[in-house]
Amino acid sequence: MPPPSGSPRPEPQKPILSVAGLSIALRGRGRETSLVQDVSFSLSEGRTLCLVGESGCGKSLTSLAIMGLLASPPLEITRGEILFEGRDLRALSARDRADLRGDRMTMIFQEPMTSLNPAFTIGDQIAEAVMRHKGGTAEEARAKALEMLKRVRIPAAEKRLDEYPHQLSGGMRQRIMIAMALVNGPRLLIADEPTTALDVTIQAQILSLVRRLQQETGSAMLLITHDLGVVAEVADEVAVMYAGRIVERASVKDIFDDPQHPYTIGLMGSLPSLSGREERLATIPGSVPAPERMPKGCRFAPRCPFCIPACTEAQPPLLEVAPGHEAACIRAPLEQHVTEAA
Amino acid sequence: MLSFIGRRILIAIPTVILVSIFVFTLQKLLPGDPILVLAGEERDPQVIELLRAKYHLNDPLPIQYLAWAGQALQGNLGVSLRTGVPVMQLIKDKLPVTLQLAAMAMCFALLIGIPAGVMAAVRKGSAWDYGATALALWGLSIPNFFLGILLIFLISVQLNWLPASGYVPLSESVSQNLKTMIMPAFVLGNALAASMMRHTRSAMLGVLRQDYVRTARAKGLLEPRVILKHALRNALIPVVTIGTLLFGELLAGAVLTEQIFTIPGFGKLIVDAVFNRDYSVVQGVVLCTAVGYIALNLLADVLYVVLNPRLRTR
Ligand SMILES: Nc1ncnc2c1ncn2[C@@H]1O[C@H](COP(=O)(O)OP(=O)(O)OP(=O)(O)O)[C@@H](O)[C@H]1O
Ligand code: SF4
Ligand SMILES: [Mg+2]
C-alpha cells in the first residue's frame, strides 16, 4: 500500500552536495580524539536537509568541515569526501575554496551576537562580500547591500547601513548575517541553528525569513537544528546524528511517521514501550558518552531500552530498512520486536 | 564623543594642579640653597637678601606657589638661576631633540613590534613564534646602557659605520642628524619594540579566536585580508592605547640614552639642572614632563574611544 499522503515529489535531481564517510578528529599532543565519524548524506539542488541531534553531537563540526572553516589545527578531517557541484572540495586549493565560500556556498552561524565584526559598519561588511566575489565599485556593492537589507526586512535599512553591530539586537544581527549569506545568490546555504541564540518570539520570524529567501533564490539548504517542530515544517530530508555518527536518514515524512532508530524515537519524545502502549518521555535518560570514552559497539547502547548483548560488540552500520530510509540499529525495524513482545 | 573628551579634560585639571603643588613643594624640601650658589664666593648677606627678595623667596609658601603657578600658566617658568636664560626657552630648545629621538624610537618599535607580533600570533607555536618571543624577552631584559655601549663598541669603534656622538641638529643636515640619531633610537626603541610585539601577539591571539574572524573567512576573504583587516583592526585597539602610555616611558628612557650618546636633549637638561641645583629649571622641566604624562594618558583614553565603535557611537 502506498503511503497515504505520499505526494509524488519530482525524483531528486543531481545532488549539489554529497558527503561520504566524513570523519573529523581533534589532534593534539600525540592524541587523536574522533569527534565525527563516517558521516554521509547528500543534498539535491533546491532542497532542504535537516541535520538533527543533541548538543555536542558534531553538527557544527560537520558543517564547518563542508565550508572549509574547521579550526585546523587542532581539528582535522581524517577521512571522507565532500563533493560540491561535482567538485571534490578536499582536493581544491585554499584559493579555490575561498572563491566558493561566500559566493556559491555560504553559512549562517549559531552565534549572531559575536559573528559580526564590531569595528566595521553593517554596510561595509555586506558590501565586502559582494566586492570579493562580484567585483564592481563600492557604490554598487553598497546599493546591493541596501537592497539585501530590505529583503531581510530590516527597518530603516538606509540608516542601518552605517551603523555598527553593537547598535543592533540579536535578531537584527542574525538578519544581517542572513543578508550577507544570501547577497551573492548561493547554491548552498548552511544554516547552523540560526535561531537557537534568539528570543523565542523572534525565532519563528527568522526561520520563515530564511525559508522564504531560500525559496526565492532557489538554493539548497543544510539546516541544523534540534527543534523537531522546525524539521517538520521545513525539511525534505532528515539526518539524525548521535555522538558523532549519523544514526538515521530518511525523508521527513518517514522520520515522523516511521522512525526506526531508538534514538530518533526518543527524540520524538515518545517511545513505544514494550507493553505496546505509548509513553511520553521528556528526555532520553542518561547522557551522551564523552568523545574519548565511546563505547565499542553501538554508541547509543548505554541509553537504549532495546539494547541486547550483540549491540555492544560492533558498531551497527547504516543500512537501508525501507527504500530511501536508512538506520544504524541492529534491531531495526523495531515494530516487529515491539509487537512480538506484546 | 566631544563631551567625553571635554569631561576627560576636566578630570585632568585637578591632577595637573596637584602635580604642580607637588613639584613646587618638592623643590622647597630639597637640600641646598640656590641663592648661595648664585651669590658667589663672597656670600655677602646684603646680596643674598636682595636675591631672596628678587625671587620672592621671603614670601609665605602659598603666595610663592600662586605667583609661580600664575606665571607658569602664561608660559613663564622663570629664568635659570644659573645662566639667566628663560626656562621656557631652554625647554623649547631641548625638547624637540628628545621628541625626535622618542618619535624615531616609537616608529622603530611600531615597525618591528606590530608585524612581528602579528606573525607570531598567526604562526603560533612555530619556530617564528618562539624566535620572536625569545628575541622579545632579550629585548626587554637587556639594559639600555649596556646595549648602547655594545653598539658604540661594535658599530662605531670596530666597524666605524656610525658616529658614537656629535649630535647635528636636524635643521643643519638631515642626513647627518639621522646618522647620529639612528643608533640611539634603536637602543631606546628596543625594549618598546619587544613589548609592542608581546602586546600585539596576545591581542591578535585573542582576536583570531573570535567568531567574526570566522565570518570573514566564510565570506571567502583571503587570509591576508582576514588578518590585516578584520583581526588586526580589533587587535590594535589595546595595542595603540598601551603604545601611547609607553611613549611616556620612552621619554624617561631618553634621559639615559641621551647621556650615553651625548645628545643635547631634555635628558641632558634635567641632569645638568639637578647637578647645578638650578631650581627653576628643575621645576620647569619636571612640571613639563608631568603635564606631558597626563596629556599622554588623556590621549590614550581618547584614542581608545575613537578606535572603538562600541564606545564611540553611544
Ligand atoms: N575547537 C574544538 N576543540 C575541541 N573540541 C571541539 C572543538 N569544537 C568542537 N569540539 C567538540 O566536538 C564535539 C562536537 O561539537 P559541535 O560543535 O559540532 O557540536 P554541535 O552538534 O554543533 O552542538 P550544539 O548543538 O551545541 O551546537 C563536541 O563534543 C565539542 O566539545
Ligand atoms: S543497535 Fe542496539 S543499542 Fe544500538 S540503538 Fe539499536 S537496539 Fe539500541
Ligand atoms: Mg553547533
Side-chain angles (χ1 to χ4, degrees), chain B residues 138-161:
Chain B
W138 181 81
L140 277 176
S141 45
I142 189 166
N144 270 3
F145 74 86
F146 180 72
L147 183 63
I149 290 167
L150 192 73
L151 284 183
I152 289 176
F153 177 73
L154 282 179
I155 294 183
S156 304
V157 179
Q158 295 288 316
L159 299 168
N160 205 14
W161 284 350

Side-chain angles (χ1 to χ4, degrees), chain A residues 67 69 98 101-102, chain B residues 208 212-221 223 226-227:
Chain A
M67 285 294 287
L69 292 173
R101 268 201 300 271
Chain B
L208 285 172
Y212 56 75
V213 171
R214 188 181 61 192
T215 306
R217 294 194 176 112
K219 275 194 253 188
L221 300 184
E223 247 355 57
V226 171
I227 287 159

Side-chain angles (χ1 to χ4, degrees), chain B:
Chain B
M1 181 64 196
L2 281 177
S3 85
F4 166 79
I5 298 177
R7 234 176 319 130
R8 195 55 195 74
I9 290 176
L10 280 183
I11 295 170
I13 289 175
T15 322
V16 173
I17 293 176
L18 272 176
V19 164
S20 69
I21 292 176
F22 181 73
V23 167
F24 179 81
T25 319
L26 199 69
Q27 276 311 129
K28 295 288 154 194
L29 296 176
L30 282 180
D33 189 339
I35 297 301
L36 293 185
V37 178
L38 270 185
E41 292 292 298
E42 289 122 57
R43 302 203 171 165
D44 181 339
Q46 255 184 317
V47 172
I48 291 176
E49 205 38 52
L50 270 173
L51 284 170
R52 282 194 180 283
K54 182 178 172 204
Y55 292 113
H56 302 282
L57 293 180
N58 292 327
D59 293 344
L61 281 180
I63 304 288
Q64 284 189 38
Y65 168 75
L66 286 180
W68 172 75
Q71 288 296 311
L73 271 183
Q74 295 163 35
N76 180 5
L77 293 171
V79 296
S80 160
L81 294 177
R82 205 169 170 79
T83 60
V85 180
V87 174
M88 205 56 180
Q89 190 58 48
L90 288 172
I91 291 175
K92 271 188 196 151
D93 287 347
K94 305 293 184 188
L95 190 59
V97 176
T98 304
L99 283 181
Q100 188 205 339
L101 178 63
M104 280 175 71
M106 190 73 184
C107 284
F108 164 74
L110 294 177
L111 287 178
I112 302 284
I114 291 180
V118 170
M119 281 290 282
V122 171
R123 306 235 177 286
K124 180 174 184 280
S126 69
W128 169 268
D129 182 21
Y130 291 123
T133 306
L135 208 63
L137 192 66
W138 181 81
L140 277 176
S141 45
I142 189 166
N144 270 3
F145 74 86
F146 180 72
L147 183 63
I149 290 167
L150 192 73
L151 284 183
I152 289 176
F153 177 73
L154 282 179
I155 294 183
S156 304
V157 179
Q158 295 288 316
L159 299 168
N160 205 14
W161 284 350
L162 290 168
S165 65
Y167 172 79
V168 179
L170 200 56
S171 52
E172 239 167 68
S173 159
V174 175
S175 68
Q176 285 303 311
N177 170 275
L178 288 182
K179 262 189 196 163
T180 53
M181 291 294 262
I182 202 136
M183 224 164 31
F186 174 81
V187 168
L188 181 57
N190 174 58
L192 185 63
S195 71
M196 291 311 263
M197 179 266 163
R198 301 224 291 199
H199 287 299
T200 305
R201 178 180 180 275
S202 74
M204 277 299 280
L205 283 178
V207 166
L208 285 172
R209 274 196 297 270
Q210 300 295 314
D211 290 337
Y212 56 75
V213 171
R214 188 181 61 192
T215 306
R217 294 194 176 112
K219 275 194 253 188
L221 300 184
L222 301 177
E223 247 355 57
R225 193 175 170 92
V226 171
I227 287 159
L228 296 178
K229 181 178 172 187
H230 287 264
L232 188 57
R233 174 63 178 71
N234 285 284
L236 277 183
I237 297 173
V239 171
V240 165
T241 310
I242 293 165
T244 314
L245 294 174
L246 290 180
F247 192 76
E249 249 174 59
L250 212 57
L251 290 174
V255 173
L256 187 69
T257 312
E258 284 175 6
Q259 292 296 308
I260 300 170
F261 292 93
T262 51
I263 296 170
F266 214 53
K268 192 163 159 26
L269 183 66
I270 298 174
V271 174
D272 289 351
V274 168
F275 280 122
N276 292 329
R277 290 193 201 130
D278 201 341
Y279 276 19
S280 46
V281 175
V282 174
Q283 247 175 4
V285 164
V286 172
L287 185 68
C288 179
T289 311
V291 171
Y293 267 95
I294 293 168
L296 281 175
N297 268 288
L298 187 82
L299 183 66
D301 280 4
V302 171
L303 278 179
Y304 189 72
V305 173
V306 168
L307 289 176
N308 204 333
R310 268 173 289 197
L311 303 174
R312 173 159 30 104
T313 50
R314 245 201 318 232

Side-chain angles (χ1 to χ4, degrees), chain A residues 18 96 106 113 142 152 154-155 165 202 240 258 271 287 319 321:
Chain A
S18 90
D96 287 344
T106 59
M113 296 309 281
R142 193 179 152 90
V152 297
I154 299 253
I202 47 177
V240 181
D258 191 19
L271 205 62
S287 59
L319 294 176
V321 289

Side-chain angles (χ1 to χ4, degrees), chain A residues 277-322:
Chain A
R277 269 183 294 119
E278 275 208 349
E279 246 175 50
R280 299 295 298 177
L281 278 184
T283 50
I284 306 165
S287 59
V288 187
E292 315 81 54
R293 275 178 275 111
M294 276 301 163
K296 181 160 77 67
C298 175
R299 294 181 168 191
F300 191 55
R303 300 167 79 182
C304 180
F306 302 99
C307 181
I308 55 174
C311 297
T312 56
E313 272 155 29
Q315 287 201 14
L318 194 60
L319 294 176
E320 193 155 78
V321 289

